[in-house]
Amino acid sequence: MEEGSAAGLPGPTGEEAGSNAAWPLAERPGFLARRMHQIHVSLFSERCAEFRITPLQYSLLSMLRDLREADQTTLAHAVALDRTTTTGALKRLAARGLVSRSTSTADRRAQVCRLTPEGERLHAAMESAAREAHALTVAALSASEQELLIRLLRRVITGHDHRRGHADLD
């Protein structure tokens, strides 16, 4: 692969980056990542509409299922969100009775969150629809290409761990 190229896609090299060389949107990683995210959100919304859960809320439910309980700061780091966004999403989930939030006995400033039995039921009920949305997001790729895409995305994210939390992607 030539310098500046990722996965065979041309992009500006060091010399071209500062020039006025043509650089179509369809060759820019940020644009492509945003479009892929839009496509995934659309597919997730279609497949999971009956559950009235956003992909972000689903991530929080999934993380709580795995951790059993966590404070809001830990959850924010785990799903790579800011605390304000995480708190808002958790409040909405709590209002629906899917998550319980209580003051930590170790740190009165912290809110400890857990899935409620209803939250566990909802997460289990929507698991197959969510998996289908994820599969459809990358359905245009072969199985080996899907694995490569995930490895490359994880490598990019790991290379930027210093930008937001240190979510464990291994």
Side-chain angles (χ1 to χ4, degrees):
M1 234 182 312
E2 65 187 37
E3 184 179 324
S5 176
L9 295 175
T13 60
E15 224 175 78
E16 296 170 333
S19 73
N20 290 329
W23 190 23
L25 279 176
E27 295 176 1
R28 299 178 190 183
F31 173 78
L32 294 171
R34 183 175 60 80
R35 280 296 298 133
M36 185 171 164
H37 180 258
Q38 288 173 329
I39 291 163
H40 175 69
V41 168
S42 175
L43 290 166
F44 187 95
S45 295
E46 289 170 9
R47 296 306 184 275
C48 299
E50 69 183 282
F51 304 105
R52 298 181 304 121
I53 293 290
T54 67
L56 182 153
Q57 291 171 333
Y58 182 72
S59 294
L60 289 167
L61 294 175
S62 295
M63 190 56 62
L64 281 172
R65 182 207 53 202
D66 294 346
L67 298 176
R68 288 294 175 219
E69 78 173 31
D71 64 79
Q72 292 179 173
T73 301
T74 299
L75 285 171
H77 285 286
V79 297
L81 291 171
D82 61 89
R83 283 187 350 192
T84 302
T85 302
T86 302
T87 299
L90 288 167
K91 284 180 178 179
R92 287 185 289 283
L93 290 169
R96 289 186 55 192
L98 303 174
V99 170
S100 69
R101 297 167 66 235
S102 59
T103 303
S104 168
T105 55
D107 180 354
R108 307 265 323 139
R109 299 167 297 170
Q111 290 285 307
V112 176
C113 303
R114 293 172 196 82
L115 280 182
T116 64
E118 181 60 27
E120 290 176 14
R121 281 191 292 278
L122 179 87
H123 187 274
M126 68 183 299
E127 184 80 12
S128 65
R131 284 180 183 264
E132 183 180 348
H134 283 277
L136 289 170
T137 300
V138 294
L141 303 175
S142 69
S144 62
E145 289 170 329
Q146 290 176 23
E147 290 175 18
L148 176 60
L149 175 65
I150 297 301
R151 278 199 318 272
L152 292 173
L153 290 170
R154 290 171 66 150
R155 189 183 315 160
V156 169
I157 291 165
T158 299
H160 292 281
D161 270 350
H162 63 283
R163 297 197 176 274
R164 182 191 308 256
H166 295 279
D168 183 7
L169 296 176
D170 291 328

